[in-house]
Amino acid sequence: MSRGRFIALSVVLDAVLVNVGFLLAYLLRFGGHLPEFNFQPYLSLAPILTAAFLGAGYIYGLYEPERTENPWAVVRAVLLSVTVGSLLTFAIAFVAGTHFFSLSRLVIGIAWALQNMLLAGWRMSLLRVTPIRWPQQRVLVIGVGGVAVELATEMRRREGWGYRVVGLLARDEHERISSPGEISGFPVLGTASEAAAVVAAERVDRVIVVSPVALRELVENLALSDEADVRVDVVPELYEVFIGTVDNLIGDIPLMEITRRTVPPWYAATKRVADFVSALALLVVLSPVLLLAALAILVSMGRPVTFSQERVGKDMKPFRVHKFRTMVRDAEKDTGPVLAADDDARITPLGRFLRTFRIDELPQLLNILAGEMSFVGPRPERGFFVERFARDIPGYRERFRVKPGATGLAQVSGSYATTPERKLKYDLIYMYHQNLLMDVQILVETLRVVLTGRGAR
């Protein structure tokens, strides 16, 4: 059984069996009958009592599979949880009033014994039949000092939880030379500067940084590299605890994760709904502007009025982006793909006006409706430039973890000619700090850019 399924099963079974314990206690207490005067208060409070028992179970670690290895630890956790749950039952019934306090005290006592047997019994029985299957994590530790070895040893002791320490990396070449080739049975595989290559060669899933000096180099060359998609944790120094959150512990060693999912699922779903509704509304409201822009292009520049161009979207998937035409016909016929620059001679006078007020981007509302783009996100780029930037700019592929946007932090903070390196920094700042308020702020700033023409030439 996987870890996630065990947790889900634990919550569901505990919720059911807590109430089964109460029901059996009533039947035992009243000789197989359920007298309304005593049973009705329980039915009224059942949801609250269930939540109280589950909360007590969470406090005492019933939903942490790590605590299931020792049978006595399971029994102790169940005993404490059920005892606290029973005490909370008394307290809730008392606070709820005289009627609810008619809940039989003897029933609560009998239920306490039954719930202990039921909650501990199903765990002991199930784990004998199907032990928890932990997802394997191949771990690389950056550091060769005492804490690094202690951490690696602790993880080796917990190999039953899926940890596989592939080795250690020294901070630099000097530290590697001064270290033996193997420490406490763990091979020293190189230095922090070689982390990306070691991650790829050893199929590493998780990197834990113990040497703080190596952290910056690691973040720039591994966490944002294209070699592998790995989780990176750091054993924090005191000052790092002030600016971060400790995510988990291994033994008594705290860890902070510095690579994580860019957005939670609820945020992505909310953003998609808002994108669709807003794009549909804007297409209706701005239809006169779209029509006037199309007529102006047709009169001054001729056909085509719009153009579509293949761009690279989320997860590096290509799609066709739609825009009003702002350049002369066959603008790249002689030059090939070229990035827009200040005072670009290919841009027509009308095209410059459309770009200044971002009117050329309005057809991308169709891309947003189709779910290929969002209102806010990194701007989509052409495959030709993506290949070049991915080769020359460390971490460039990271920006493709989210949908591209019609506008973004880079667009309201710079101009069309801002360098790709600077745009990437803005994109990553947005990706790892985005929230609904930030999206609104970027959209408001975009409106300000549109109305003033700032940042677009």
Side-chain angles (χ1 to χ4, degrees):
M1 180 187 302
S2 69
R3 184 179 190 275
R5 288 184 178 179
F6 174 82
I7 295 173
L9 182 65
S10 298
V11 173
V12 172
L13 275 181
D14 284 357
V16 172
L17 293 178
V18 161
N19 290 282
V20 168
F22 276 119
L23 180 60
L24 292 176
Y26 269 102
L27 293 174
L28 289 173
R29 166 66 177 84
F30 295 103
H33 299 290
L34 299 173
E36 183 176 350
F37 178 73
N38 295 97
F39 191 63
Q40 187 59 45
Y42 158 71
L43 288 179
S44 301
L45 292 175
I48 300 174
L49 298 181
T50 302
F53 273 84
L54 293 179
Y58 173 79
I59 291 171
Y60 288 105
L62 286 186
Y63 311 120
E64 298 175 24
E66 293 85 351
R67 303 196 181 203
T68 62
E69 287 188 328
N70 185 339
W72 291 112
V74 174
V75 172
R76 180 177 180 274
V78 169
L79 178 62
L80 290 170
S81 301
V82 172
T83 300
V84 170
S86 299
L87 293 174
L88 288 173
T89 299
F90 276 112
I92 292 168
F94 179 77
V95 171
T98 305
H99 171 65
F100 290 101
F101 204 60
S102 63
L103 185 69
S104 172
R105 268 73 76 192
L106 183 55
V107 164
I108 296 175
I110 297 172
W112 174 87
L114 292 172
Q115 289 161 346
N116 270 289
M117 289 188 289
L118 290 170
L119 269 61
W122 83 256
R123 284 177 167 82
M124 306 293 282
S125 301
L126 182 67
L127 293 174
R128 284 179 178 272
V129 176
T130 171
I132 299 174
R133 175 172 46 83
W134 298 85
Q136 181 172 318
Q137 292 186 48
R138 294 178 62 82
V139 181
L140 179 67
V141 178
I142 311 291
V144 294
V147 176
V149 175
E150 179 187 353
L151 177 67
T153 302
E154 185 67 27
M155 298 182 87
R156 181 168 58 189
R157 189 179 71 80
R158 303 182 184 203
E159 282 189 346
W161 297 0
Y163 295 128
R164 299 289 185 276
V165 179
V166 301
L168 313 175
L169 290 182
R171 181 185 63 212
D172 50 34
E173 190 63 28
H174 175 74
E175 188 176 68
R176 188 189 68 80
I177 293 174
S178 61
S179 302
E182 186 176 277
I183 302 176
S184 299
F186 301 104
V188 179
L189 301 176
T191 64
S193 62
E194 302 169 292
V198 175
V199 164
E202 298 291 339
R203 307 186 312 280
V204 170
D205 305 299
R206 185 176 184 181
V207 176
I208 301 180
V209 185
V210 180
S211 174
V213 178
L215 181 58
R216 177 174 178 177
E217 182 176 7
L218 183 78
V219 169
E220 293 182 352
N221 295 288
L222 174 62
L224 300 180
S225 78
D226 303 326
E227 296 293 335
D229 183 13
V230 297
R231 169 175 173 167
V232 179
D233 294 274
V234 60
V235 177
E237 296 293 298
L238 183 58
Y239 78 93
E240 291 165 325
V241 174
F242 286 121
I243 61 174
T245 301
V246 174
D247 298 283
N248 55 77
L249 303 172
I250 294 181
D252 60 356
I253 300 174
L255 295 177
M256 291 171 55
E257 184 182 357
I258 60 173
T259 55
R260 50 170 57 90
R261 293 179 64 176
T262 54
V263 294
W266 69 265
Y267 174 84
T270 302
K271 188 172 181 178
R272 173 60 186 140
V273 171
D275 282 340
F276 184 87
V277 173
S278 301
L280 192 60
L282 283 174
L283 276 174
V284 175
V285 172
L286 297 178
S287 55
V289 177
L290 291 165
L291 182 60
L292 286 173
L295 288 174
I297 294 170
L298 184 62
V299 170
S300 64
M301 294 190 286
R303 296 185 179 182
V305 171
T306 63
F307 80 101
S308 63
Q309 190 177 67
E310 187 174 274
R311 300 288 178 99
V312 180
K314 183 182 179 184
D315 299 324
M316 302 291 288
K317 293 179 181 177
F319 72 102
R320 301 199 71 83
V321 70
H322 309 295
K323 299 179 73 172
F324 281 127
R325 183 164 69 92
T326 58
M327 291 187 177
V328 296
R329 249 189 233 101
D330 300 322
E332 295 181 338
K333 181 178 180 180
D334 299 325
T335 62
V338 178
L339 290 172
D342 292 338
D343 303 320
D344 197 316
R346 301 170 299 165
I347 303 175
T348 66
L350 175 61
R352 194 170 303 282
F353 173 82
L354 296 176
R355 285 192 174 213
T356 296
F357 295 100
R358 300 300 202 268
I359 298 173
D360 63 316
E361 311 282 1
L362 291 180
Q364 288 168 41
L365 292 171
L366 298 174
N367 293 111
I368 296 173
L369 278 177
E372 298 163 330
M373 292 177 61
S374 177
F375 272 100
V376 181
R379 286 292 294 154
E381 192 53 84
R382 284 184 281 178
F384 174 85
F385 295 113
V386 168
E387 290 181 11
R388 191 175 88 190
F389 297 153
R391 183 178 62 249
D392 299 338
I393 304 173
Y396 189 78
R397 290 180 188 271
E398 188 78 0
R399 72 196 296 274
F400 298 101
R401 290 178 180 268
V402 298
K403 283 184 184 179
T407 186
L409 186 61
Q411 281 61 52
V412 299
S413 304
S415 69
Y416 269 93
T418 300
T419 65
E421 291 85 353
R422 290 180 184 173
K423 285 182 179 179
L424 176 62
K425 290 182 179 180
Y426 285 120
D427 290 338
L428 295 182
I429 289 171
Y430 170 74
M431 284 171 56
Y432 289 101
H433 298 276
Q434 63 180 303
N435 54 59
L436 293 176
L437 178 59
M438 189 176 190
D439 283 351
V440 171
Q441 289 175 325
I442 291 173
L443 290 172
V444 170
E445 188 63 24
T446 300
L447 181 61
R448 185 176 166 195
V449 168
V450 168
L451 295 177
T452 62
R454 179 176 60 82
R457 292 181 290 275

